[in-house]
Amino acid sequence: MSQTLSNPNPNPNPNPPAAAAPRTPWALVSLALSLLLASLGTSSANVGLPALAQAFSAPFPQVQWIVLAYLLAITVCVVGAGRLGDQWGRKRLLLAGIAVFTLGSALCGLAPTLGLLIAARAVQGAGAAVMMALSMAFVGDILPKHRTGSAMGLLGTMSAVGTALGPTLGGVLIAALGWRFLFLANLPLGLLGIILVARFLPADRPRTSGAGFDVAGTMLLGVTLAAYALAMTLGRGQFGALNIALLLAAVAGVGLFLRVESRVPAPLVRLAMLRERGLGAGLAMNALVSTVMMATLVVGPFYLTQALGLGAAEAGLVMSVGPLISAVCGVPAGRLVDRLGAARIARLGLAAMVLGAALLAALPATLGVAGYLGPIVVLTIGYAVFQAANNTGVMADVDARQRGLVSGMLSLSRNLGLVTGASAMGAVFALAAGAVDLTAAAPGAVARGMGVAFGMAAALAACAWGIGGRQRRG
């Protein structure tokens, strides 16, 4: 990193690792719990959509907003949350974020109508945005640089555990206690998170006077991201006039945002940061690999049920292998980063992702579940390795006063990749399969769509690999 991200302050770290060392294990537990809760908030709600549609007598497109409201709130709030944490104090804002998430969970569990439930999910998502933005930012405050890879691997593991555990836990809660406990179950975990953060994370330094918060830039970025996310998710896979209008509004919003940021005295995002090779490349690669991984969640269920003939329970079991592999690999991948360096390990992970996606595109359906699981294992291991390395590399040399912002930008790039992948990869799959209604598509058509979609995924992973190569040469 060049001087753009350097700190002129001779004592840049507001929370020196040495002072926090005796509490480091419990501090990491508190951060891991924050990410676990944010991940559970996404994955556990998905499995409850049929029960919620029945409970509110609502069609699926309306009930789907229970998931979309949460994702949109995270996407819109995550960068501002990171920046506000840098200015206001990361510990106090993380405590506030967990409290908002817990309050939102209570409101979800008590919601009498679908509209109020969707609004409460947006509140819950705003709290989750703070938790996601600040968890990685805290690593540099509690650990020395040579151990950050292991910590990033642990946080990645907890995110994967939440993704894998959510559907199973959600199904058990619905069957045993009803849909409201999908959300009420977060209350004791949220309270535990507040206690751990308050007790074990290092205290914030007193806020120094100076530049204020960029309200105009934050609001403009929020509107722009909301327009983009809505353009990618509305229409149930059919990109119509409304989607195009929203996408054009998002493009115009980007232009306005860049103009505002170049003129305000205390910008939300310093544009010089985006020209940093390490940061810009890391964000771009993060968005690309998230798009690739979303393809497994969009295309995988149709391929397993339509082409391979698995039942819903069997398909769910097969799909849980990916997140479980990611959970197992996270900590070892982090240790590998600490020993061999972030740039080299990131490229290794991306190479594995290219191979796994290419195998998914090429292997015939006649190989059955084994022909699907083998490449998925390769792809997921590559993703876990890349995430640990990329997060470590991006955060390594960041000014302590900007860690929250950069962590929020990492979360944002991941979310944008997921939103884009859900729309774009799903559209490529449906177009290649030649079927408007994928549930009625022939097995051969689904297999053909699978091949094309993962051929595209392999190309995107190769682009990320190329970006990583340019970064290393730079």
Side-chain angles (χ1 to χ4, degrees):
M1 293 282 181
S2 69
Q3 292 182 350
T4 305
L5 294 182
S6 64
N7 189 357
N9 190 329
N11 183 24
N13 193 340
N15 304 295
R23 300 181 177 184
T24 294
W26 283 106
L28 284 176
V29 168
S30 68
L31 298 179
L33 179 58
S34 295
L35 277 183
L36 176 67
L37 282 171
S39 299
L40 283 173
T42 302
S43 59
S44 62
N46 289 337
V47 75
L49 293 183
L52 289 163
Q54 184 177 9
F56 291 107
S57 300
F60 181 75
Q62 292 181 17
V63 176
Q64 196 174 25
W65 275 94
I66 295 170
V67 173
L68 291 178
Y70 186 83
L71 292 176
L72 283 171
I74 292 175
T75 303
V76 168
C77 296
V78 70
V79 174
R83 180 63 170 157
L84 194 59
D86 290 336
Q87 293 193 328
W88 189 39
R90 285 193 278 272
K91 180 175 181 176
R92 69 183 68 174
L93 189 62
L94 181 57
L95 284 169
I98 300 173
V100 169
F101 178 88
T102 306
L103 174 62
S105 299
L107 293 175
C108 288
L110 300 174
T113 66
L114 179 59
L116 289 175
L117 175 56
I118 291 171
R121 281 284 283 172
V123 173
Q124 192 185 32
V130 175
M131 295 152 71
M132 292 173 65
L134 298 185
S135 293
M136 283 190 294
F138 254 114
V139 170
D141 293 343
I142 62 177
L143 284 174
K145 187 175 178 180
H146 68 276
R147 292 179 56 197
T148 56
S150 298
M152 292 297 184
L154 172 63
L155 296 183
T157 292
M158 295 312 296
S159 180
V161 167
T163 302
L165 182 62
T168 303
L169 179 62
V172 170
L173 289 172
I174 290 173
L177 300 171
W179 68 264
R180 294 186 183 277
F181 282 85
L182 276 174
F183 310 106
L184 296 178
N186 291 326
L187 301 187
L189 292 175
L191 292 174
L192 176 61
I194 290 173
I195 293 170
L196 290 176
V197 168
R199 177 72 177 85
F200 295 109
L201 285 183
D204 296 314
R205 284 175 62 112
R207 180 179 173 182
T208 58
S209 60
F213 188 71
D214 180 12
V215 176
T218 300
M219 294 180 64
L220 188 54
L221 181 63
V223 171
T224 300
L225 293 174
Y228 176 77
L230 287 170
M232 293 291 104
T233 52
L234 287 178
R236 301 172 65 187
Q238 309 220 347
F239 209 77
L242 178 59
N243 304 80
I244 294 173
L246 286 167
L247 194 57
L248 290 175
V251 171
V254 170
L256 286 173
F257 175 74
L258 294 177
R259 183 179 178 84
V260 168
E261 295 305 282
S262 67
R263 298 188 173 199
V264 297
L268 175 67
V269 177
R270 297 188 183 277
L271 299 183
M273 291 175 61
L274 299 179
R275 292 192 288 270
E276 287 288 334
R277 185 180 296 274
L279 178 60
L283 295 176
M285 291 187 292
N286 201 37
L288 286 170
V289 300
S290 297
T291 302
V292 170
M293 293 308 295
M294 193 64 189
T296 64
L297 302 178
V298 173
V299 178
F302 289 101
Y303 180 76
L304 293 171
T305 56
Q306 302 295 112
L308 300 186
L310 300 184
E314 295 171 310
L317 185 62
V318 171
M319 289 193 66
S320 68
V321 170
L324 289 174
I325 290 290
S326 184
V328 170
C329 292
V331 172
R335 290 175 179 164
L336 201 60
V337 171
D338 286 338
R339 296 180 73 181
L340 300 178
R344 182 185 304 175
I345 299 304
R347 292 256 293 166
L348 179 64
L350 289 170
M353 291 189 69
V354 174
L355 176 61
L359 289 174
L360 280 170
L363 291 179
T366 51
L367 293 178
V369 174
Y372 178 83
L373 277 180
I376 281 290
V377 169
V378 175
L379 181 67
T380 307
I381 290 175
Y383 177 67
V385 169
F386 166 79
Q387 281 290 94
N390 190 57
N391 290 344
T392 301
V394 168
M395 298 297 297
D397 297 321
V398 173
D399 182 333
R401 296 170 300 178
Q402 296 176 333
R403 285 192 192 123
L405 171 62
V406 175
S407 178
M409 291 169 70
L410 269 172
S411 297
L412 172 63
S413 65
R414 177 180 178 272
N415 250 43
L416 290 179
L418 294 176
V419 171
T420 303
S423 174
M425 299 305 290
V428 168
F429 174 53
L431 184 64
V436 177
D437 182 8
L438 287 169
T439 60
V446 172
R448 182 173 63 251
M450 166 90 163
V452 173
F454 277 98
M456 176 74 74
L460 293 176
C463 287
W465 185 87
I467 293 172
R470 290 182 60 190
Q471 176 190 3
R472 190 175 180 185
R473 287 194 299 271

